[in-house]
Amino acid sequence: MDNKYKKTLLLVEDEIIIAMAKKQELGKYGYNTIHAMTGEAAVTLVRERQDINMVLMDIDLGRGIDGTEAAELILKDKEIPIVFLSSHTESEIVERTNKITSYGYVVKSSGISVLNSSIKAAFELFDTNLKVDKNIRLLEDNCKRIIERENDFSTIINSIGDAVLTADIKGYIVRINPAAEKLTGWKINKCREKSVSEVFKIINIRTKKTIINPIEKVLESGQIEELAENTTLISREGVKFQITGIAIPIRNDAGSINRVVIVFREISEEYQLQKEFNKFDTPYKFAVEGSALGLWDWNIETGEVLFSKKTRVMLGFDESKISGSSKECRNLVHPDDRKYFYDNINRHLNAATSMYQDEFRVLSKGGNYKWILARGMVVARTEDWGPDRMLGTIVDVTKRRQAEETLRIERDNFINIFNSMKDGVFIIDQEYNIKYFNPAIKKDFGDLYSTKCYEYFYQCTEKCSWCEMSKVIAGEKINKEINFQISQKTYDMMCTPITNSDSTISMLAILRDITIRKKAEEEIKNQLLEKDVVLKEVHHRIKNNFASIVGLLSMQASSLTDYSAVSALNDAIGRVKSYQILYEKLLLSDDFNVTSIKQYLDNLIDEIVSLSLFPESIEISVEKNIDDFQLDPKRLVSFGIVVNELLTNVMKYAFAGRTSGLIQVTLKKNEGHITLTIQDDGNGLPDGFDLENQTGFGLLLVGMLTKQFEGDFTIENHNGTRSIMKFSI
């Protein structure tokens, strides 16, 4: 592995021998491995060291917290990949790790190549998840910004003087602003989802006949439609208002109309004013100072245009300039808008429309362009019906257009992020209507043939009994696993509430496909069941192998005459038999969790003493004083090895040249502190004995295991030899 990309691994393993071997193996693959014996030590190391790239976590860590608890504490402080490395294959142990964000579960006996592959795969998966989490956070930030922009846009709509009414393509009210509420007499909470014809009652003031719903005209033509001339609105209370306005189609990304916006205003005063103008034929009767609208009067024959004070300010004219030429006004229009501007003007002058309305950019005094909304109508014609005079208004809509453009950009970013995600994303309103879904949803579930979520996802005719919508609308975030029959897949679903521009709440849902992972988990469960069967056969073979090894060593020892060789083989026979006893007494017991140390040591000591390592001429007595308490199976195995080594040393060296001997084994527990004492009345330690400089394997093994227990070990002359091991539980 290139040192530039060398990774540092934290190996959490309470078995020091296994840890040393595993660290050496990982070093061959280029990993820098540091070791922690306890879960607490692992948590501290991750907090203090920034160079740790991954944690290899054993599950059973002896005294203190176990591996799953340590993993949870680590993940609270830091995002880091954790791979569980354990000897356990029991399904209940494996399932405990499923509740933790881990990146693999490797059985210790799998081999270093399998472990190396799992580590590489975990790093790749972790890097991928970091990128996904970054995209999700970016998505959440964009959602918040869009909602803020929509709220700003809603504020602008609510504050403008014109009445605005929005309806869906079925002709039902979606939203109206305060100005529309005032004219129609309907409040938004009373008229939402009522038909436009009920809320927006319009008639022709001359014929008294009902005028065709402007939404129908927009859906038929697909273009902006003006309200008919002489349109009168009848409010909920029966009050009549002379109005003018337009109906505008709103299209989605696919180009289909999904909303129609009706913008209208009361022109009762303007209507009367127009009649006065026609009556008195003077350009000054309509100059109503203080009006929110800029007014203009165009003499088409001469080309002269009169301006109100408000108009002069908007166009950046000097206040003393009360008139200008039509050519001068046209030159102020942005070059990109002129063709559309000319077309609209000419259509109205040629009597193709009842009212002129247009939005375009004009050059202001500071050299910047501003957006204005211009409306007007021909109020006088020549004898041959040519246009003679036109009156109108303008209003500055720059802020509204800027807000619309910002909102459009934010929405595009928002949709682009959703559309690029591999996870499925959809939004549902409180009426269970699907308001948006990304390509990943379409790929799994097909084209949207119904707007109701329960019909599209579940083919139900009414909302699902298990629906979580009410909880989400109440502010709760839902994370659950869910199966969909239509896609034949399993997903992790995250549902969260989002606030719309009209302050209503909808539900944003993200579906992550976990079908492959679920199948892998099921395969692991099946493999674990198979391994249980194999394990029973392995236990049987291990017992036979113990017996075979002892037999082979015994035959080899009986064929030798060299004392040192025979002694070494007898040592090996003793250790093998001791491990056989440990295996049969503990690992093969019917109830593995029942770990009475008194019963265990009583049997173990008797078996060790009966191994015939003493000459037949020596009479040995054994006194046992053992407190009864519980010790976990893993530590009990190591403790049994210590007792075996110490007793074997006594049997080999303590009573040379003696005809009898006494061995005392004492085990005491005092408030969590354990003391093991093995005392003999034999010949004692040789002169110059130094425990620190011993090279014999037996005492070296005792020292290593004592360190694993975080305890102390001493051996001394005391009426023979006395060995003491102390540790805490």
Side-chain angles (χ1 to χ4, degrees):
M1 179 179 291
D2 193 330
N3 288 334
K4 182 179 179 181
Y5 302 100
K6 192 170 185 178
K7 301 291 188 179
T8 298
L9 310 180
L10 172 59
L11 174 62
V12 188
E13 170 61 64
D14 63 329
E15 294 283 358
I16 192 167
I17 297 174
I18 295 175
M20 292 171 63
K22 196 64 68 177
K23 183 176 180 180
Q24 185 179 27
E25 290 177 339
L26 291 169
K28 294 178 180 179
Y29 280 84
Y31 296 109
N32 176 33
T33 307
I34 58 178
H35 175 224
M37 291 185 63
T38 66
E40 291 83 356
V43 173
T44 301
L45 278 172
V46 173
R47 286 174 178 170
E48 294 177 350
R49 295 188 59 160
Q50 300 301 315
D51 60 333
I52 297 175
N53 305 115
M54 179 179 290
V55 179
L56 302 180
M57 181 73 71
D58 192 6
I59 294 179
D60 285 340
L61 296 175
R63 183 161 53 93
I65 62 177
D66 64 19
T68 57
E69 294 172 313
E72 289 177 334
L73 292 175
I74 288 171
L75 291 175
K76 285 182 180 179
D77 295 332
K78 185 177 181 180
E79 284 187 296
I80 187 170
I82 296 177
V83 175
F84 287 99
L85 181 62
S86 175
S87 298
H88 288 282
T89 57
E90 301 92 334
S91 58
E92 60 270 16
I93 298 297
V94 176
E95 288 176 358
R96 281 167 53 193
T97 66
N98 289 339
K99 300 177 181 178
I100 302 168
T101 303
S102 68
Y103 289 79
Y105 189 104
V106 182
V107 179
K108 289 181 181 177
S109 61
S110 298
I112 186 60
S113 61
V114 174
L115 177 58
N116 181 47
S117 297
S118 299
I119 291 172
K120 289 181 177 179
F123 275 126
E124 291 178 1
L125 180 58
F126 179 71
D127 291 341
T128 300
N129 285 345
L130 286 180
K131 293 177 182 177
V132 171
D133 290 342
K134 181 180 179 181
N135 286 337
I136 290 176
R137 286 193 294 271
L138 178 62
L139 174 62
E140 290 175 346
D141 291 341
N142 284 338
C143 286
K144 291 179 181 178
R145 287 198 297 270
I146 287 174
I147 290 171
E148 290 173 357
R149 296 294 186 184
E150 287 186 343
N151 288 336
D152 292 342
F153 181 68
S154 179
T155 300
I156 293 172
I157 293 298
N158 289 341
S159 62
I160 64 176
D162 284 358
V164 180
L165 179 152
T166 305
D168 60 25
I169 59 176
K170 294 181 179 180
Y172 292 101
I173 300 293
V174 175
R175 182 171 67 181
I176 62 175
N177 72 345
E181 288 181 338
K182 182 177 180 181
L183 289 177
T184 62
W186 287 87
K187 296 293 184 182
I188 181 61
N189 60 338
K190 297 293 185 180
C191 71
R192 184 181 284 121
E193 296 192 356
K194 288 187 177 296
S195 67
V196 171
S197 58
E198 182 178 357
V199 175
F200 190 68
K201 293 181 179 180
I202 51 177
I203 63 172
N204 185 297
I205 193 172
R206 293 179 178 176
T207 65
K208 309 301 181 184
K209 292 182 179 181
T210 300
I211 297 175
I212 297 175
N213 188 329
I215 292 179
E216 295 179 9
K217 296 175 67 177
V218 168
L219 294 176
E220 181 180 349
S221 67
Q223 299 178 351
I224 297 175
E225 294 290 342
E226 299 179 359
L227 295 183
E229 192 173 358
N230 301 315
T231 298
T232 297
L233 170 68
I234 303 177
S235 73
R236 189 178 186 184
E237 294 80 13
V239 179
K240 296 180 180 179
F241 300 99
Q242 189 74 16
I243 64 170
T244 185
I246 58 172
I248 307 169
I250 305 298
R251 302 178 185 273
N252 57 25
D253 292 338
S256 301
I257 299 174
N258 59 1
R259 291 283 190 276
V260 176
V261 176
I262 302 175
V263 181
F264 60 99
R265 64 185 179 88
E266 181 188 3
I267 59 169
S268 300
E269 292 185 8
E270 293 180 27
Y271 186 73
Q272 294 299 324
L273 184 61
Q274 178 184 323
K275 291 169 66 176
E276 292 296 320
F277 287 154
N278 290 337
K279 180 178 180 180
F280 297 106
D281 194 22
T282 175
Y284 302 107
K285 295 293 183 179
F286 70 93
V288 184
E289 292 297 334
S291 170
L293 299 173
L295 307 177
W296 49 271
D297 180 359
W298 178 22
N299 187 318
I300 299 173
E301 182 179 357
T302 65
E304 184 182 25
V305 184
L306 299 178
F307 310 117
S308 71
K309 180 179 180 181
K310 189 72 173 180
T311 300
R312 296 196 295 272
V313 171
M314 268 189 265
L315 297 179
F317 290 155
D318 188 276
E319 290 193 12
S320 62
K321 182 180 178 67
I322 63 172
S323 68
S325 68
S326 57
K327 180 179 180 181
E328 184 181 8
C329 294
R330 287 194 296 268
N331 288 338
L332 294 176
V333 178
H334 192 285
D336 293 344
D337 299 337
R338 286 176 187 172
K339 183 179 185 305
Y340 192 69
F341 169 77
Y342 293 150
D343 289 346
N344 280 340
I345 282 283
N346 290 330
R347 286 178 66 222
H348 181 68
L349 294 178
N350 294 327
T353 60
S354 61
M355 187 185 81
Y356 162 73
Q357 178 164 308
D358 193 9
E359 284 189 17
F360 49 86
R361 288 163 289 180
V362 296
L363 187 64
S364 61
K365 188 174 183 179
N368 299 319
Y369 283 94
K370 63 175 62 177
W371 282 94
I372 65 168
L373 169 63
R375 297 189 182 97
M377 63 174 59
V378 174
V379 296
R381 291 188 176 273
T382 62
E383 293 182 357
D384 57 358
W385 201 245
D388 185 45
R389 184 179 174 197
M390 187 172 177
L391 304 178
T393 65
I394 63 170
V395 61
D396 188 346
V397 293
T398 304
K399 291 184 178 180
R400 192 201 77 198
R401 291 297 295 243
Q402 289 173 344
E404 289 175 349
E405 179 63 16
T406 300
L407 182 58
R408 185 194 64 78
I409 293 173
E410 293 291 348
R411 279 178 173 165
D412 288 346
N413 292 336
F414 178 77
I415 296 301
N416 288 337
I417 292 172
F418 274 167
N419 290 344
S420 64
M421 288 180 62
K422 293 183 179 180
D423 293 337
V425 180
F426 60 92
I427 298 174
I428 301 173
D429 65 17
Q430 296 185 40
E431 300 302 321
Y432 308 98
N433 294 309
I434 300 174
K435 310 305 290 184
Y436 167 81
F437 69 100
N438 72 344
I441 292 291
K442 182 178 180 180
K443 179 181 177 182
D444 281 0
F445 296 92
D447 292 327
L448 187 66
Y449 63 87
S450 173
T451 60
K452 297 296 183 182
C453 60
Y454 48 79
E455 293 179 354
Y456 180 65
F457 289 113
Y458 295 103
Q459 294 78 53
C460 296
T461 57
E462 57 185 12
K463 75 170 186 175
C464 309
S465 58
W466 58 88
C467 183
E468 305 281 6
M469 172 69 79
S470 59
K471 294 181 181 179
V472 175
I473 297 304
E476 185 176 345
K477 292 185 177 181
I478 303 294
N479 288 280
K480 62 188 293 187
E481 187 177 296
I482 189 168
N483 295 298
F484 286 102
Q485 292 296 325
I486 189 172
S487 65
Q488 300 282 311
K489 291 182 179 181
T490 303
Y491 303 87
D492 270 340
M493 183 168 72
M494 185 276 286
C495 302
T496 187
I498 58 172
T499 303
N500 302 313
S501 59
D502 59 356
S503 299
T504 60
I505 305 296
S506 293
M507 182 178 80
L508 169 68
I510 299 176
L511 295 180
R512 176 165 295 176
D513 186 355
I514 60 170
T515 307
I516 296 177
R517 192 189 81 189
K518 295 299 292 183
K519 289 180 179 178
E521 290 174 354
E522 188 65 29
E523 180 64 23
I524 289 174
K525 290 180 181 179
N526 293 333
Q527 290 178 4
L528 290 176
L529 292 176
E530 294 174 2
K531 288 180 180 180
D532 286 341
V533 176
V534 174
L535 189 60
K536 292 180 181 179
E537 177 63 21
V538 170
H539 286 326
H540 175 71
R541 292 183 181 274
I542 289 174
K543 291 173 64 179
N544 289 342
N545 289 342
F546 271 126
S548 298
I549 293 170
V550 170
L552 289 172
L553 292 174
S554 297
M555 287 189 292
Q556 183 69 35
S558 65
S559 67
L560 299 176
T561 58
D562 182 81
Y563 174 77
S564 60
V566 173
S567 177
L569 287 174
N570 282 335
D571 285 348
I573 292 170
R575 289 193 179 96
V576 172
K577 284 191 173 183
S578 297
Y579 276 96
Q580 183 178 8
I581 292 168
L582 292 172
Y583 190 77
E584 293 178 351
K585 294 295 184 183
L586 182 62
L587 297 177
L588 296 182
S589 63
D590 292 334
D591 190 351
F592 185 74
N593 292 318
V594 176
T595 54
S596 167
I597 197 165
K598 179 175 175 60
Q599 180 182 1
Y600 171 65
L601 283 187
D602 277 341
N603 294 334
L604 179 62
I605 293 168
D606 292 342
E607 294 283 355
I608 294 173
V609 173
S610 68
L611 289 176
S612 300
L613 295 179
F614 293 113
E616 294 181 358
S617 59
I618 300 178
E619 183 178 347
I620 300 298
S621 299
V622 179
E623 295 180 357
K624 293 177 282 188
N625 185 7
I626 300 172
D627 289 350
D628 195 12
F629 56 90
Q630 301 291 319
L631 195 65
D632 63 271
K634 182 186 291 187
R635 302 183 80 189
L636 194 59
V637 172
S638 299
F639 188 68
I641 295 173
V642 172
V643 173
N644 172 74
E645 293 298 328
L646 294 177
L647 283 178
T648 301
N649 278 345
V650 172
M651 295 162 67
K652 289 168 57 179
Y653 306 115
F655 305 116
R658 299 272 298 273
T659 59
S660 63
L662 173 64
I663 302 174
Q664 297 173 312
V665 180
T666 305
L667 182 65
K668 294 295 180 182
K669 177 186 177 188
N670 182 18
E671 295 182 350
H673 300 289
I674 308 301
T675 302
L676 168 69
T677 304
I678 297 180
Q679 171 77 55
D680 66 66
D681 63 350
N683 299 324
L685 299 170
D687 294 337
F689 176 86
D690 184 0
L691 180 61
E692 297 295 328
N693 295 321
Q694 290 300 302
T695 59
F697 179 71
L699 288 178
L700 180 62
L701 181 59
V702 171
M704 292 174 64
L705 292 174
T706 302
K707 182 179 178 181
Q708 181 172 308
F709 276 79
E710 299 181 10
D712 298 312
F713 172 72
T714 59
I715 184 169
E716 60 186 1
N717 284 318
H718 182 78
N719 298 325
T721 301
R722 180 168 65 181
S723 299
I724 302 174
M725 177 186 179
K726 295 181 179 181
F727 62 95
S728 300
I729 60 174

